[in-house]
Amino acid sequence: MNRPNYNEICMKTAEEHRGSRLLLHCCCAPCSSACMERLHEYFRITALFYNPNIEDPEYTHRKNELIRLLKETGWADIMECDSPTGEYYDAVRGLEGEPEGGKRCMKCFELRLKKTAELANAGGYDYFTTTLTLSPLKNAAAINEIGERVAQGGRAKWLPSDFKKQNGYLESIRLSEQYNLYRQSFCGCVFSKNS
């Protein structure tokens, strides 16, 4: 069975719906950089920093780097959505021992994308998506399936993506150097830090 070409769908949608409002869930400044660089000429982007899986001081460091990047580039406005890490721990309870990329990560993606969909619908956005598909370590097909599911019944549509395509990850490394961005060495949660 052929998988959809999520990158092609994303860019075709961007072309056809130029000027639409997009709520972009952002995990960190490096991943966000390449995604926003690709999309900012098509969409009016609001970057959402909602990551209850990340604890301080890492959380604050990543958020501040994203805010700095947006101030320097003007690619998007920022929507901060600080929330207690308890939301994350409740969502993944019983899955602490899962391998990286397994069921725990799927629950984490679902938690963050549900909140993004909620905020996109409440804010009158046309589309929502996430920077998570930029990482070569993340399953873009699974993330897109979750995004489609949480979008059902809402006003805002899921924007399929696979931002690692077209050298997206390499571009994020280049942009990180250009803007002197902090590049973390783990996904974000304590479990990924220890694996």
Side-chain angles (χ1 to χ4, degrees), residues 15 23 28 42 87 103 108 156:
E15 280 283 355
L23 186 60
C28 63
Y42 301 100
E87 288 180 12
K103 292 177 186 172
C108 180

PDB file of all heavy atoms in Angstrom, residues 15 23 28 42 87 103 108 156:
ATOM      1  N   GLU A  15      -0.333  26.277  -1.430  1.00  0.00           N
ATOM      2  CA  GLU A  15      -0.513  27.043  -2.679  1.00  0.00           C
ATOM      3  C   GLU A  15      -1.975  27.419  -2.895  1.00  0.00           C
ATOM      4  O   GLU A  15      -2.295  28.550  -3.235  1.00  0.00           O
ATOM      5  CB  GLU A  15      -0.028  26.234  -3.888  1.00  0.00           C
ATOM      6  CG  GLU A  15       1.457  26.239  -4.091  1.00  0.00           C
ATOM      7  CD  GLU A  15       1.974  27.536  -4.696  1.00  0.00           C
ATOM      8  OE1 GLU A  15       1.173  28.414  -5.057  1.00  0.00           O
ATOM      9  OE2 GLU A  15       3.199  27.664  -4.792  1.00  0.00           O
ATOM     10  N   LEU A  23      -2.279  27.410  12.761  1.00  0.00           N
ATOM     11  CA  LEU A  23      -1.736  27.263  14.102  1.00  0.00           C
ATOM     12  C   LEU A  23      -0.720  26.130  14.038  1.00  0.00           C
ATOM     13  O   LEU A  23      -1.073  24.978  13.764  1.00  0.00           O
ATOM     14  CB  LEU A  23      -2.837  26.959  15.124  1.00  0.00           C
ATOM     15  CG  LEU A  23      -2.389  26.925  16.588  1.00  0.00           C
ATOM     16  CD1 LEU A  23      -1.795  28.268  17.024  1.00  0.00           C
ATOM     17  CD2 LEU A  23      -3.539  26.535  17.501  1.00  0.00           C
ATOM     18  N   CYS A  28      10.285  23.038  19.386  1.00  0.00           N
ATOM     19  CA  CYS A  28      11.535  23.731  19.718  1.00  0.00           C
ATOM     20  C   CYS A  28      11.871  24.678  18.558  1.00  0.00           C
ATOM     21  O   CYS A  28      11.308  24.553  17.477  1.00  0.00           O
ATOM     22  CB  CYS A  28      12.680  22.740  19.936  1.00  0.00           C
ATOM     23  SG  CYS A  28      13.090  21.764  18.460  1.00  0.00           S
ATOM     24  N   TYR A  42       3.105  31.397   2.641  1.00  0.00           N
ATOM     25  CA  TYR A  42       1.781  30.916   2.253  1.00  0.00           C
ATOM     26  C   TYR A  42       0.712  31.190   3.318  1.00  0.00           C
ATOM     27  O   TYR A  42      -0.420  31.506   2.991  1.00  0.00           O
ATOM     28  CB  TYR A  42       1.815  29.402   1.999  1.00  0.00           C
ATOM     29  CG  TYR A  42       2.780  28.995   0.927  1.00  0.00           C
ATOM     30  CD1 TYR A  42       4.028  28.478   1.257  1.00  0.00           C
ATOM     31  CD2 TYR A  42       2.449  29.123  -0.418  1.00  0.00           C
ATOM     32  CE1 TYR A  42       4.916  28.094   0.268  1.00  0.00           C
ATOM     33  CE2 TYR A  42       3.323  28.754  -1.416  1.00  0.00           C
ATOM     34  CZ  TYR A  42       4.567  28.230  -1.072  1.00  0.00           C
ATOM     35  OH  TYR A  42       5.444  27.861  -2.042  1.00  0.00           O
ATOM     36  N   GLU A  87      -0.200  16.952  33.153  1.00  0.00           N
ATOM     37  CA  GLU A  87      -1.038  16.544  32.015  1.00  0.00           C
ATOM     38  C   GLU A  87      -0.344  15.449  31.214  1.00  0.00           C
ATOM     39  O   GLU A  87      -0.975  14.495  30.775  1.00  0.00           O
ATOM     40  CB  GLU A  87      -1.296  17.738  31.087  1.00  0.00           C
ATOM     41  CG  GLU A  87      -2.237  18.767  31.629  1.00  0.00           C
ATOM     42  CD  GLU A  87      -2.452  19.924  30.645  1.00  0.00           C
ATOM     43  OE1 GLU A  87      -2.048  19.814  29.463  1.00  0.00           O
ATOM     44  OE2 GLU A  87      -3.017  20.933  31.079  1.00  0.00           O
ATOM     45  N   LYS A 103       4.463   3.435  22.125  1.00  0.00           N
ATOM     46  CA  LYS A 103       3.129   3.860  22.559  1.00  0.00           C
ATOM     47  C   LYS A 103       3.146   5.132  23.406  1.00  0.00           C
ATOM     48  O   LYS A 103       2.233   5.944  23.323  1.00  0.00           O
ATOM     49  CB  LYS A 103       2.457   2.740  23.353  1.00  0.00           C
ATOM     50  CG  LYS A 103       2.098   1.533  22.526  1.00  0.00           C
ATOM     51  CD  LYS A 103       1.499   0.446  23.393  1.00  0.00           C
ATOM     52  CE  LYS A 103       1.274  -0.824  22.586  1.00  0.00           C
ATOM     53  NZ  LYS A 103       0.864  -1.937  23.444  1.00  0.00           N
ATOM     54  N   CYS A 108       1.788  11.020  23.740  1.00  0.00           N
ATOM     55  CA  CYS A 108       2.309  12.380  23.869  1.00  0.00           C
ATOM     56  C   CYS A 108       1.935  13.214  22.649  1.00  0.00           C
ATOM     57  O   CYS A 108       1.469  14.355  22.780  1.00  0.00           O
ATOM     58  CB  CYS A 108       3.829  12.333  24.049  1.00  0.00           C
ATOM     59  SG  CYS A 108       4.599  13.955  24.221  1.00  0.00           S
ATOM     60  N   ALA A 156     -11.174  23.811  12.204  1.00  0.00           N
ATOM     61  CA  ALA A 156      -9.818  23.835  11.655  1.00  0.00           C
ATOM     62  C   ALA A 156      -9.467  22.475  11.057  1.00  0.00           C
ATOM     63  O   ALA A 156      -9.730  21.439  11.667  1.00  0.00           O
ATOM     64  CB  ALA A 156      -8.821  24.205  12.751  1.00  0.00           C
TER      65      ALA A 156
END
